[in-house]
Structures are given as C-alpha cells and as structure tokens.
Coordinates of all heavy atoms in Angstrom, one line a residue:
M1 N 0.8 -1.2 0.0 CA 0.0 0.0 0.0 C 0.9 1.3 0.0 O 1.8 1.3 0.7 CB -0.9 0.0 1.3 CG -1.9 1.1 1.3 SD -3.3 0.5 0.4 CE -4.3 2.0 0.4
V2 N 0.5 2.2 -0.8 CA 1.3 3.4 -1.0 C 0.7 4.4 0.0 O -0.5 4.7 0.0 CB 1.2 3.9 -2.4 CG1 2.0 5.2 -2.5 CG2 1.8 2.9 -3.3
S3 N 1.6 5.1 0.8 CA 1.1 6.1 1.7 C 0.8 7.4 1.0 O 1.2 7.6 -0.1 CB 2.1 6.3 2.8 OG 3.2 7.0 2.3
R4 N 0.0 8.2 1.7 CA -0.4 9.5 1.1 C 0.9 10.4 0.9 O 1.0 11.1 -0.1 CB -1.3 10.2 2.1 CG -1.8 11.5 1.5 CD -3.1 11.9 2.0 NE -3.5 13.2 1.8 CZ -4.0 13.7 0.6 NH1 -4.2 12.8 -0.4 NH2 -4.3 14.9 0.4
I5 N 1.9 10.3 1.8 CA 3.1 11.0 1.7 C 3.9 10.7 0.4 O 4.3 11.5 -0.3 CB 4.0 10.9 3.0 CG1 3.2 11.5 4.2 CG2 5.3 11.5 2.8 CD1 3.9 11.2 5.5
D6 N 3.9 9.3 0.1 CA 4.6 8.9 -1.1 C 3.9 9.4 -2.3 O 4.5 9.8 -3.3 CB 4.7 7.4 -1.1 CG 5.6 6.8 0.0 OD1 6.4 7.6 0.5 OD2 5.4 5.6 0.3
T7 N 2.6 9.4 -2.3 CA 1.8 9.9 -3.4 C 2.0 11.3 -3.6 O 2.2 11.8 -4.8 CB 0.3 9.6 -3.1 OG1 0.1 8.2 -2.8 CG2 -0.5 10.0 -4.4
L8 N 2.0 12.1 -2.6 CA 2.3 13.6 -2.7 C 3.7 13.8 -3.2 O 3.9 14.8 -4.0 CB 2.0 14.3 -1.4 CG 0.6 14.3 -1.0 CD1 0.4 15.0 0.4 CD2 -0.3 15.1 -2.0
A9 N 4.7 13.1 -2.8 CA 6.0 13.3 -3.2 C 6.1 12.9 -4.7 O 6.8 13.6 -5.4 CB 7.0 12.4 -2.4
L10 N 5.5 11.9 -5.1 CA 5.5 11.5 -6.5 C 4.8 12.6 -7.4 O 5.2 12.9 -8.5 CB 4.8 10.1 -6.7 CG 5.2 9.3 -7.9 CD1 6.7 9.2 -8.0 CD2 4.6 8.0 -7.8
R11 N 3.7 13.1 -6.9 CA 2.9 14.2 -7.6 C 3.9 15.4 -7.7 O 3.9 16.0 -8.8 CB 1.7 14.5 -6.8 CG 0.9 15.6 -7.4 CD -0.3 15.9 -6.5 NE -0.9 17.1 -6.9 CZ -1.9 17.2 -7.8 NH1 -2.3 16.2 -8.5 NH2 -2.4 18.4 -8.1
Y12 N 4.6 15.7 -6.7 CA 5.5 16.8 -6.7 C 6.6 16.6 -7.8 O 6.9 17.6 -8.5 CB 6.1 17.0 -5.3 CG 7.2 18.1 -5.3 CD1 6.9 19.5 -5.4 CD2 8.5 17.7 -5.3 CE1 7.9 20.4 -5.4 CE2 9.6 18.7 -5.3 CZ 9.2 20.0 -5.3 OH 10.1 21.0 -5.4
K13 N 7.1 15.4 -7.9 CA 8.1 15.1 -8.9 C 7.6 15.3 -10.3 O 8.2 15.8 -11.2 CB 8.6 13.7 -8.7 CG 9.6 13.5 -7.6 CD 10.0 12.0 -7.5 CE 10.9 11.8 -6.3 NZ 11.3 10.4 -6.2
V14 N 6.3 14.8 -10.5 CA 5.7 14.9 -11.8 C 5.5 16.4 -12.2 O 5.8 16.8 -13.4 CB 4.4 14.1 -11.9 CG1 3.7 14.4 -13.2 CG2 4.7 12.7 -11.7
I15 N 5.0 17.2 -11.3 CA 4.8 18.6 -11.6 C 6.1 19.3 -11.8 O 6.2 20.1 -12.8 CB 4.0 19.2 -10.4 CG1 2.6 18.7 -10.4 CG2 3.9 20.8 -10.5 CD1 1.7 19.1 -9.2
R16 N 7.1 19.0 -11.0 CA 8.4 19.6 -11.2 C 9.0 19.2 -12.6 O 9.5 20.1 -13.3 CB 9.3 19.2 -10.1 CG 10.7 19.9 -10.1 CD 11.6 19.5 -9.0 NE 11.9 18.1 -9.2 CZ 12.2 17.3 -8.2 NH1 12.3 17.7 -7.0 NH2 12.5 16.1 -8.4
Q17 N 8.8 18.0 -13.0 CA 9.4 17.6 -14.3 C 8.6 18.3 -15.4 O 9.2 18.7 -16.4 CB 9.2 16.0 -14.4 CG 9.9 15.5 -15.7 CD 11.4 15.7 -15.7 OE1 12.0 15.4 -14.7 NE2 11.9 16.1 -16.8
F18 N 7.3 18.4 -15.3 CA 6.5 19.1 -16.3 C 7.0 20.6 -16.4 O 7.1 21.0 -17.5 CB 5.0 19.0 -15.9 CG 4.1 19.7 -16.9 CD1 3.7 19.0 -18.1 CD2 3.6 21.0 -16.7 CE1 2.9 19.6 -19.0 CE2 2.7 21.5 -17.6 CZ 2.4 20.9 -18.8
K19 N 7.2 21.2 -15.3 CA 7.6 22.6 -15.3 C 9.0 22.8 -15.9 O 9.2 23.7 -16.7 CB 7.5 23.2 -14.0 CG 6.1 23.5 -13.4 CD 6.1 24.1 -12.1 CE 4.7 24.4 -11.6 NZ 4.7 25.1 -10.3
Q20 N 9.8 21.8 -15.6 CA 11.2 21.9 -16.2 C 11.2 21.7 -17.7 O 11.9 22.4 -18.4 CB 12.1 20.8 -15.5 CG 13.5 20.7 -16.0 CD 14.3 22.0 -15.7 OE1 14.0 22.7 -14.7 NE2 15.2 22.3 -16.5
L21 N 10.4 20.8 -18.1 CA 10.2 20.6 -19.6 C 9.6 21.8 -20.3 O 10.1 22.1 -21.4 CB 9.5 19.3 -19.9 CG 10.2 18.0 -19.7 CD1 9.2 16.8 -19.7 CD2 11.4 17.8 -20.6
L22 N 8.7 22.4 -19.6 CA 8.1 23.6 -20.2 C 9.1 24.7 -20.3 O 9.1 25.4 -21.3 CB 6.9 24.1 -19.3 CG 5.5 23.6 -19.6 CD1 4.5 24.2 -18.7 CD2 5.1 23.9 -21.0
L23 N 9.9 24.9 -19.3 CA 11.0 25.8 -19.3 C 12.0 25.6 -20.5 O 12.4 26.5 -21.1 CB 11.7 25.8 -17.9 CG 12.8 26.9 -17.8 CD1 12.2 28.3 -17.8 CD2 13.5 26.6 -16.5
M24 N 12.3 24.3 -20.6 CA 13.3 24.0 -21.7 C 12.6 24.2 -23.1 O 13.3 24.4 -24.0 CB 13.7 22.5 -21.5 CG 14.6 22.4 -20.3 SD 15.4 20.8 -20.3 CE 16.6 20.9 -21.4
G25 N 11.3 24.0 -23.2 CA 10.7 24.1 -24.5 C 10.5 25.5 -25.0 O 10.1 25.7 -26.1
R26 N 10.9 26.5 -24.3 CA 10.9 27.9 -24.7 C 11.6 28.1 -26.0 O 11.2 29.0 -26.9 CB 11.3 28.9 -23.6 CG 10.3 29.0 -22.5 CD 10.8 30.0 -21.5 NE 9.8 30.1 -20.4 CZ 10.0 30.8 -19.3 NH1 11.1 31.5 -19.2 NH2 9.1 30.8 -18.4
E27 N 12.7 27.4 -26.2 CA 13.6 27.6 -27.4 C 13.5 26.5 -28.3 O 14.3 26.3 -29.2 CB 15.0 27.8 -26.9 CG 15.3 29.0 -26.1 CD 16.7 29.1 -25.6 OE1 17.6 28.7 -26.4 OE2 17.0 29.6 -24.6
Y28 N 12.4 25.7 -28.3 CA 12.3 24.5 -29.1 C 12.2 25.0 -30.6 O 11.5 26.0 -30.9 CB 11.0 23.8 -28.7 CG 11.0 22.4 -29.3 CD1 11.8 21.4 -28.8 CD2 10.1 22.1 -30.3 CE1 11.8 20.1 -29.4 CE2 10.0 20.8 -30.9 CZ 10.9 19.8 -30.4 OH 10.9 18.6 -30.9
P29 N 12.8 24.3 -31.5 CA 12.9 24.8 -32.9 C 11.5 24.9 -33.6 O 11.3 25.8 -34.4 CB 13.7 23.7 -33.6 CG 14.5 23.1 -32.5 CD 13.7 23.2 -31.3
R30 N 10.6 24.1 -33.2 CA 9.3 24.2 -33.9 C 8.3 25.1 -33.2 O 7.2 25.2 -33.5 CB 8.6 22.8 -34.0 CG 9.4 21.9 -34.9 CD 8.8 20.6 -35.1 NE 7.6 20.7 -36.0 CZ 6.9 19.7 -36.3 NH1 7.2 18.5 -36.0 NH2 5.8 19.9 -37.1
G31 N 8.8 25.8 -32.1 CA 8.0 26.8 -31.4 C 7.5 26.3 -30.1 O 7.3 25.1 -29.9
Y32 N 7.3 27.3 -29.2 CA 6.9 27.0 -27.8 C 5.5 26.4 -27.8 O 5.2 25.4 -27.1 CB 7.0 28.2 -27.0 CG 6.5 28.0 -25.6 CD1 7.3 27.2 -24.7 CD2 5.3 28.5 -25.1 CE1 6.8 27.0 -23.4 CE2 4.9 28.3 -23.8 CZ 5.6 27.5 -23.0 OH 5.2 27.4 -21.7
R33 N 4.6 26.9 -28.6 CA 3.2 26.5 -28.6 C 3.2 25.0 -29.0 O 2.4 24.2 -28.4 CB 2.4 27.3 -29.5 CG 0.9 27.0 -29.5 CD 0.1 27.9 -30.4 NE -1.3 27.8 -29.9 CZ -2.0 28.8 -29.6 NH1 -1.5 30.0 -29.8 NH2 -3.2 28.7 -29.1
Y34 N 3.8 24.6 -30.0 CA 3.9 23.2 -30.5 C 4.4 22.3 -29.4 O 3.8 21.3 -29.1 CB 4.8 23.1 -31.7 CG 5.0 21.7 -32.2 CD1 4.1 21.0 -33.0 CD2 6.2 21.0 -31.8 CE1 4.3 19.7 -33.4 CE2 6.4 19.7 -32.2 CZ 5.5 19.1 -33.0 OH 5.7 17.7 -33.4
F35 N 5.5 22.7 -28.8 CA 6.1 22.0 -27.7 C 5.2 21.8 -26.5 O 4.9 20.7 -26.0 CB 7.4 22.6 -27.3 CG 8.1 21.8 -26.2 CD1 9.0 20.7 -26.6 CD2 8.0 22.1 -24.9 CE1 9.7 20.0 -25.6 CE2 8.7 21.3 -23.9 CZ 9.5 20.3 -24.3
R36 N 4.6 22.9 -26.1 CA 3.7 22.9 -24.9 C 2.4 22.0 -25.2 O 2.0 21.2 -24.3 CB 3.2 24.3 -24.6 CG 2.4 24.4 -23.3 CD 1.7 25.7 -23.2 NE 0.8 25.9 -24.3 CZ 0.4 27.1 -24.9 NH1 0.9 28.2 -24.4 NH2 -0.4 27.1 -25.9
D37 N 1.9 22.1 -26.4 CA 0.7 21.3 -26.7 C 1.0 19.8 -26.6 O 0.3 19.0 -26.1 CB 0.1 21.7 -28.0 CG -0.5 23.1 -28.0 OD1 -0.8 23.6 -26.9 OD2 -0.8 23.6 -29.1
N38 N 2.1 19.4 -27.2 CA 2.5 18.0 -27.2 C 2.9 17.5 -25.8 O 2.6 16.4 -25.5 CB 3.7 17.8 -28.2 CG 3.2 17.8 -29.6 OD1 2.0 17.5 -29.9 ND2 4.0 18.1 -30.6
L39 N 3.6 18.4 -25.1 CA 3.9 18.0 -23.7 C 2.7 17.8 -22.9 O 2.5 16.8 -22.1 CB 4.8 19.1 -23.1 CG 5.3 18.8 -21.7 CD1 6.2 17.6 -21.6 CD2 6.0 20.1 -21.1
H40 N 1.7 18.7 -23.0 CA 0.5 18.7 -22.2 C -0.2 17.4 -22.6 O -0.8 16.7 -21.8 CB -0.4 19.9 -22.5 CG -1.6 19.9 -21.8 ND1 -1.7 20.1 -20.4 CD2 -2.9 19.7 -22.2 CE1 -3.0 20.0 -20.0 NE2 -3.7 19.8 -21.0
A41 N -0.3 17.1 -23.9 CA -1.0 15.9 -24.4 C -0.4 14.6 -23.8 O -1.1 13.7 -23.4 CB -1.0 15.8 -25.9
G42 N 1.0 14.6 -23.8 CA 1.6 13.4 -23.2 C 1.5 13.2 -21.8 O 1.2 12.1 -21.3
F43 N 1.5 14.3 -21.0 CA 1.2 14.2 -19.6 C -0.2 13.8 -19.3 O -0.6 13.1 -18.3 CB 1.6 15.5 -18.9 CG 3.1 15.4 -18.4 CD1 4.1 15.7 -19.3 CD2 3.5 15.2 -17.1 CE1 5.4 15.7 -19.0 CE2 4.8 15.2 -16.7 CZ 5.8 15.5 -17.7
K44 N -1.1 14.4 -20.1 CA -2.6 14.2 -19.9 C -2.9 12.7 -20.2 O -3.7 12.1 -19.5 CB -3.4 15.1 -20.8 CG -4.9 15.1 -20.5 CD -5.6 16.2 -21.3 CE -7.0 16.2 -20.9 NZ -7.7 17.2 -21.7
K45 N -2.2 12.1 -21.2 CA -2.4 10.7 -21.6 C -2.1 9.8 -20.4 O -2.8 8.8 -20.2 CB -1.6 10.4 -22.8 CG -1.8 9.0 -23.3 CD -0.9 8.7 -24.5 CE 0.5 8.5 -24.1 NZ 1.4 8.1 -25.2
N46 N -1.1 10.2 -19.6 CA -0.7 9.4 -18.5 C -1.2 9.8 -17.2 O -0.7 9.3 -16.1 CB 0.9 9.3 -18.5 CG 1.4 8.6 -19.7 OD1 1.0 7.6 -20.1 ND2 2.4 9.3 -20.3
A47 N -2.2 10.7 -17.2 CA -2.7 11.2 -15.9 C -3.4 10.2 -15.1 O -3.5 10.3 -13.8 CB -3.7 12.4 -16.2
G48 N -3.9 9.1 -15.7 CA -4.7 8.2 -14.9 C -3.8 7.1 -14.3 O -4.4 6.1 -13.7
L49 N -2.5 7.1 -14.5 CA -1.7 6.1 -13.9 C -1.7 6.1 -12.4 O -1.7 7.1 -11.7 CB -0.2 6.3 -14.3 CG 0.1 6.0 -15.8 CD1 1.6 6.4 -16.1 CD2 -0.3 4.7 -16.3
T50 N -1.8 4.9 -11.8 CA -1.8 4.8 -10.3 C -0.7 4.0 -9.8 O -0.4 4.1 -8.6 CB -3.2 4.2 -9.9 OG1 -3.4 3.0 -10.5 CG2 -4.3 5.1 -10.2
D51 N -0.1 3.2 -10.6 CA 1.0 2.3 -10.2 C 2.3 3.1 -10.0 O 2.7 3.8 -10.9 CB 1.2 1.2 -11.2 CG 2.2 0.2 -10.7 OD1 2.4 0.0 -9.5 OD2 2.9 -0.5 -11.5
V52 N 2.9 3.0 -8.9 CA 4.1 3.8 -8.6 C 5.2 3.5 -9.5 O 5.9 4.4 -10.0 CB 4.5 3.6 -7.1 CG1 5.8 4.3 -6.9 CG2 3.4 4.1 -6.2
K53 N 5.4 2.2 -9.9 CA 6.5 1.8 -10.7 C 6.3 2.4 -12.1 O 7.2 2.8 -12.8 CB 6.6 0.3 -10.8 CG 7.1 -0.3 -9.5 CD 7.3 -1.8 -9.6 CE 7.8 -2.4 -8.3 NZ 8.0 -3.8 -8.4
E54 N 5.0 2.3 -12.6 CA 4.8 2.9 -14.0 C 5.0 4.4 -14.0 O 5.6 4.9 -14.9 CB 3.3 2.7 -14.4 CG 3.0 1.2 -14.8 CD 1.6 1.0 -15.2 OE1 1.1 1.9 -16.0 OE2 0.9 0.1 -14.7
I55 N 4.6 5.1 -13.0 CA 4.8 6.6 -12.8 C 6.3 6.9 -12.8 O 6.8 7.8 -13.5 CB 4.1 7.2 -11.6 CG1 2.6 7.0 -11.8 CG2 4.5 8.6 -11.4 CD1 1.8 7.3 -10.5
E56 N 7.1 6.1 -12.1 CA 8.5 6.4 -12.0 C 9.2 6.1 -13.3 O 10.1 6.7 -13.7 CB 9.2 5.6 -10.8 CG 8.7 6.2 -9.5 CD 9.5 5.6 -8.4 OE1 10.4 4.8 -8.6 OE2 9.3 6.1 -7.2
Q57 N 8.7 5.0 -14.0 CA 9.2 4.7 -15.4 C 8.9 5.9 -16.3 O 9.8 6.2 -17.1 CB 8.6 3.4 -15.9 CG 9.0 3.0 -17.2 CD 8.3 1.8 -17.7 OE1 7.3 1.4 -17.2 NE2 8.9 1.1 -18.7
K58 N 7.8 6.4 -16.2 CA 7.4 7.6 -17.1 C 8.3 8.8 -16.7 O 8.7 9.6 -17.6 CB 5.9 8.0 -17.0 CG 5.0 6.9 -17.5 CD 5.1 6.6 -18.9 CE 4.2 5.5 -19.4 NZ 4.2 5.3 -20.8
L59 N 8.5 9.0 -15.4 CA 9.4 10.1 -15.0 C 10.8 9.9 -15.6 O 11.5 10.9 -16.0 CB 9.5 10.2 -13.5 CG 8.3 10.9 -12.9 CD1 8.4 10.8 -11.3 CD2 8.3 12.4 -13.3
K60 N 11.3 8.7 -15.6 CA 12.6 8.4 -16.1 C 12.7 8.8 -17.6 O 13.7 9.3 -18.2 CB 13.1 7.0 -15.9 CG 13.5 6.7 -14.5 CD 14.0 5.3 -14.3 CE 14.3 5.1 -12.8 NZ 14.8 3.7 -12.6
F61 N 11.6 8.4 -18.3 CA 11.5 8.7 -19.7 C 11.5 10.3 -19.9 O 12.1 10.7 -20.9 CB 10.2 8.1 -20.3 CG 10.1 8.4 -21.8 CD1 10.9 7.8 -22.7 CD2 9.1 9.2 -22.3 CE1 10.8 8.0 -24.0 CE2 9.0 9.5 -23.6 CZ 9.8 8.9 -24.5
A62 N 10.8 10.9 -19.0 CA 10.7 12.4 -19.2 C 12.1 13.0 -18.9 O 12.5 14.0 -19.6 CB 9.7 13.0 -18.2
E63 N 12.9 12.4 -18.0 CA 14.3 12.9 -17.8 C 15.1 12.6 -19.0 O 16.0 13.4 -19.4 CB 14.8 12.2 -16.6 CG 14.2 12.7 -15.2 CD 14.6 11.8 -14.1 OE1 15.4 10.9 -14.2 OE2 14.1 12.1 -13.0
H64 N 14.9 11.5 -19.7 CA 15.6 11.2 -20.9 C 15.3 12.2 -22.0 O 16.1 12.7 -22.7 CB 15.2 9.8 -21.4 CG 15.7 9.5 -22.7 ND1 17.1 9.2 -23.0 CD2 15.1 9.4 -23.9 CE1 17.2 9.0 -24.3 NE2 16.0 9.0 -24.9
I65 N 14.0 12.6 -22.1 CA 13.6 13.6 -23.1 C 14.2 14.9 -22.8 O 14.7 15.7 -23.6 CB 12.0 13.7 -23.1 CG1 11.4 12.5 -23.5 CG2 11.6 14.9 -23.9 CD1 11.7 12.1 -25.0
E66 N 14.3 15.3 -21.4 CA 15.0 16.5 -21.0 C 16.5 16.5 -21.4 O 16.9 17.5 -22.0 CB 14.9 16.6 -19.5 CG 15.5 17.9 -18.9 CD 15.3 18.0 -17.5 OE1 14.5 17.2 -16.8 OE2 16.1 18.7 -16.8
R67 N 17.2 15.4 -21.3 CA 18.6 15.3 -21.8 C 18.6 15.4 -23.2 O 19.6 16.1 -23.8 CB 19.2 14.0 -21.2 CG 19.5 14.0 -19.8 CD 20.3 12.9 -19.3 NE 19.7 11.6 -19.7 CZ 18.9 10.9 -18.9 NH1 18.5 11.4 -17.7 NH2 18.4 9.7 -19.2
E68 N 17.7 14.9 -24.0 CA 17.7 14.9 -25.4 C 17.5 16.4 -25.9 O 18.2 16.8 -26.9 CB 16.6 14.1 -26.0 CG 16.9 12.6 -25.9 CD 18.0 12.1 -26.9 OE1 18.1 12.6 -28.0 OE2 18.8 11.2 -26.4
I69 N 16.6 17.1 -25.2 CA 16.4 18.5 -25.6 C 17.6 19.3 -25.3 O 18.0 20.2 -26.1 CB 15.2 19.0 -24.9 CG1 13.9 18.4 -25.4 CG2 15.1 20.5 -25.0 CD1 12.7 18.7 -24.5
A70 N 18.3 19.1 -24.2 CA 19.5 19.8 -23.9 C 20.6 19.5 -24.9 O 21.3 20.4 -25.3 CB 20.0 19.4 -22.5
A71 N 20.7 18.3 -25.4 CA 21.7 17.9 -26.4 C 21.3 18.6 -27.7 O 22.2 19.1 -28.4 CB 21.7 16.4 -26.7
L72 N 20.0 18.7 -28.0 CA 19.6 19.4 -29.2 C 20.0 20.9 -29.2 O 20.5 21.4 -30.2 CB 18.0 19.3 -29.4 CG 17.4 20.0 -30.5 CD1 17.7 19.4 -31.8 CD2 15.9 20.1 -30.3
Y73 N 19.8 21.5 -28.0 CA 20.2 22.9 -27.9 C 21.7 23.1 -28.0 O 22.1 24.1 -28.6 CB 19.6 23.5 -26.6 CG 18.2 23.6 -26.5 CD1 17.5 23.7 -25.3 CD2 17.4 23.6 -27.6 CE1 16.1 23.9 -25.2 CE2 16.0 23.7 -27.6 CZ 15.4 23.8 -26.3 OH 14.0 24.0 -26.2
S74 N 22.4 22.2 -27.4 CA 23.9 22.3 -27.5 C 24.4 22.1 -28.9 O 25.3 22.9 -29.3 CB 24.5 21.2 -26.6 OG 24.2 21.4 -25.2
L75 N 23.8 21.2 -29.6 CA 24.1 21.0 -31.0 C 23.8 22.2 -31.8 O 24.6 22.7 -32.7 CB 23.4 19.8 -31.6 CG 23.7 19.4 -33.0 CD1 25.2 19.1 -33.2 CD2 22.9 18.3 -33.5
R76 N 22.7 22.9 -31.6 CA 22.3 24.1 -32.3 C 23.3 25.2 -32.0 O 23.7 25.9 -32.9 CB 20.9 24.5 -31.9 CG 20.3 25.6 -32.8 CD 18.9 25.9 -32.5 NE 18.8 26.6 -31.2 CZ 17.7 26.9 -30.5 NH1 16.6 26.6 -31.1 NH2 17.8 27.4 -29.4
K77 N 23.7 25.3 -30.8 CA 24.6 26.4 -30.4 C 26.0 26.1 -31.1 O 26.7 27.0 -31.6 CB 24.8 26.5 -28.9 CG 23.6 27.1 -28.2 CD 23.8 27.1 -26.7 CE 22.5 27.6 -26.0 NZ 22.6 27.6 -24.6
Y78 N 26.4 24.8 -31.1 CA 27.7 24.5 -31.7 C 27.7 24.8 -33.1 O 28.6 25.4 -33.7 CB 28.0 23.0 -31.4 CG 29.1 22.5 -32.3 CD1 30.4 22.8 -31.9 CD2 28.9 21.7 -33.4 CE1 31.5 22.3 -32.7 CE2 29.9 21.2 -34.2 CZ 31.2 21.5 -33.8 OH 32.3 21.1 -34.6
R79 N 26.6 24.4 -33.8 CA 26.5 24.7 -35.3 C 26.5 26.2 -35.6 O 27.1 26.7 -36.5 CB 25.3 24.1 -35.8 CG 25.3 22.6 -36.0 CD 24.1 22.0 -36.5 NE 24.2 20.6 -36.7 CZ 23.2 19.8 -36.9 NH1 21.9 20.3 -36.9 NH2 23.4 18.5 -37.0
A80 N 25.9 26.9 -34.8 CA 25.9 28.4 -34.9 C 27.3 29.0 -34.8 O 27.7 29.9 -35.5 CB 24.9 29.1 -34.0
M81 N 28.0 28.5 -33.7 CA 29.3 29.0 -33.5 C 30.3 28.6 -34.6 O 31.1 29.4 -35.1 CB 29.8 28.5 -32.2 CG 29.3 29.2 -31.0 SD 29.9 28.5 -29.4 CE 31.7 28.8 -29.6
K82 N 30.1 27.4 -35.1 CA 30.9 26.9 -36.2 C 30.7 27.7 -37.4 O 31.6 28.0 -38.1 CB 30.6 25.4 -36.4 CG 31.5 24.7 -37.5 CD 31.2 23.3 -37.6 CE 32.1 22.7 -38.7 NZ 31.8 21.3 -38.9
Q83 N 29.5 28.0 -37.7 CA 29.1 28.8 -38.9 C 29.7 30.2 -38.8 O 30.2 30.8 -39.7 CB 27.6 28.8 -39.1 CG 27.2 29.6 -40.3 CD 25.6 29.6 -40.5 OE1 24.9 29.3 -39.5 NE2 25.2 29.8 -41.6
R84 N 29.7 30.8 -37.6 CA 30.1 32.1 -37.4 C 31.6 32.3 -37.5 O 32.2 33.2 -38.0 CB 29.7 32.6 -36.0 CG 28.6 33.7 -36.0 CD 28.3 34.1 -34.6 NE 26.9 33.9 -34.4 CZ 26.4 33.3 -33.4 NH1 27.1 33.0 -32.4 NH2 25.1 33.1 -33.2
Y85 N 32.4 31.3 -36.9 CA 33.8 31.5 -36.7 C 34.7 30.7 -37.7 O 35.9 30.9 -37.7 CB 34.2 31.1 -35.3 CG 33.6 32.0 -34.3 CD1 32.6 31.6 -33.4 CD2 33.9 33.4 -34.3 CE1 32.0 32.5 -32.5 CE2 33.3 34.2 -33.3 CZ 32.4 33.8 -32.5 OH 31.8 34.6 -31.6
Y86 N 34.1 29.7 -38.3 CA 34.9 28.9 -39.3 C 34.5 29.2 -40.7 O 33.4 29.4 -41.0 CB 34.8 27.4 -39.0 CG 35.4 27.1 -37.6 CD1 34.6 26.8 -36.6 CD2 36.8 27.1 -37.5 CE1 35.2 26.5 -35.3 CE2 37.3 26.8 -36.2 CZ 36.5 26.5 -35.2 OH 37.1 26.1 -34.0
D87 N 35.5 29.2 -41.6 CA 35.3 29.5 -43.0 C 34.5 28.3 -43.6 O 34.8 27.2 -43.2 CB 36.6 29.7 -43.6 CG 36.5 30.4 -45.0 OD1 35.3 30.9 -45.3 OD2 37.4 30.5 -45.7
G88 N 33.7 28.5 -44.5 CA 32.9 27.5 -45.2 C 33.7 26.7 -46.2 O 33.2 25.7 -46.7
D89 N 35.0 27.0 -46.4 CA 35.8 26.3 -47.5 C 36.3 25.0 -47.0 O 36.9 24.2 -47.7 CB 36.9 27.2 -47.9 CG 36.4 28.5 -48.6 OD1 35.3 28.4 -49.1 OD2 37.2 29.5 -48.5
Q90 N 36.3 24.7 -45.7 CA 36.9 23.5 -45.2 C 36.2 22.3 -45.6 O 35.5 21.7 -45.5 CB 37.0 23.6 -43.6 CG 37.9 24.7 -43.2 CD 37.9 24.8 -41.7 OE1 37.3 24.0 -41.0 NE2 38.6 25.8 -41.2

C-alpha cells in the first residue's frame, strides 16, 4: 500500500518535471506552442496512472527527453558558433 506522503512526493516530482520541460521548451525549434501542446497531451495521456512503478518509469522517460532536448540545444549552439567562426571552405 502506498502512503499518502509517497503519493504527494510523486505528484511533486511529476509537476516539477512538467515545469522543467516547459521551461526547456521555450527555445524549441518548432516553437513553444507546438512543444507545450505536445507536452500537455503526453502528460494528460498518462494522468490516470496509479501504479508507482509505472509513474517512476514515465518520469525516467521524461528525464531522458529532457537530456535529449539539452543535447539538441547544445548542437544548435555548436553549429551556430561553427558557422560564425569557421570558414565554409573547409
């Protein structure tokens, strides 16, 4: 049996992850609105989950997505710097 404290802690983690992804989505290449709508749909689809293991598995997936977005932004910054500072003849 899952205690109420565990449920609230898990709820806090989910909300924190949602907000973190929203914050990262501000610079998403296809636009913030597109990112926000898809993020909302993904979280809403899993809103009915009650099993703690399933919820934690989804949180791990969300963390993976967060790392992927960070990598996407790093790559975009690297490409911009490369374009700015290196000659295109190479």
Side-chain angles (χ1 to χ4, degrees):
M1 186 85 189
V2 179
S3 70
R4 180 153 171 82
I5 293 172
D6 293 338
T7 305
L8 290 175
L10 206 52
R11 178 182 166 89
Y12 173 73
K13 286 181 185 179
V14 170
I15 292 171
R16 186 178 64 205
Q17 186 66 45
F18 182 79
K19 287 181 179 181
Q20 179 64 30
L21 285 170
L22 270 182
L23 182 67
M24 291 187 78
R26 288 183 180 173
E27 296 180 31
Y28 196 71
R30 293 185 73 179
Y32 178 70
R33 184 178 202 128
Y34 172 83
F35 184 84
R36 185 192 63 208
D37 292 344
N38 284 333
L39 181 66
H40 182 70
F43 271 77
K44 191 173 183 178
K45 181 179 79 173
N46 296 314
L49 292 179
T50 56
D51 185 31
V52 175
K53 289 183 181 180
E54 285 183 46
I55 294 171
E56 290 192 358
Q57 182 183 16
K58 297 293 181 181
L59 278 173
K60 285 183 183 180
F61 181 70
E63 290 170 5
H64 171 72
I65 296 297
E66 182 180 342
R67 288 191 300 272
E68 288 289 323
I69 292 170
L72 175 73
Y73 292 161
S74 296
L75 182 62
R76 187 176 70 185
K77 288 178 184 177
Y78 169 76
R79 285 180 178 165
M81 285 179 57
K82 185 177 178 182
Q83 185 179 15
R84 251 184 239 133
Y85 296 113
Y86 294 106
D87 198 11
D89 297 332
Q90 295 179 3

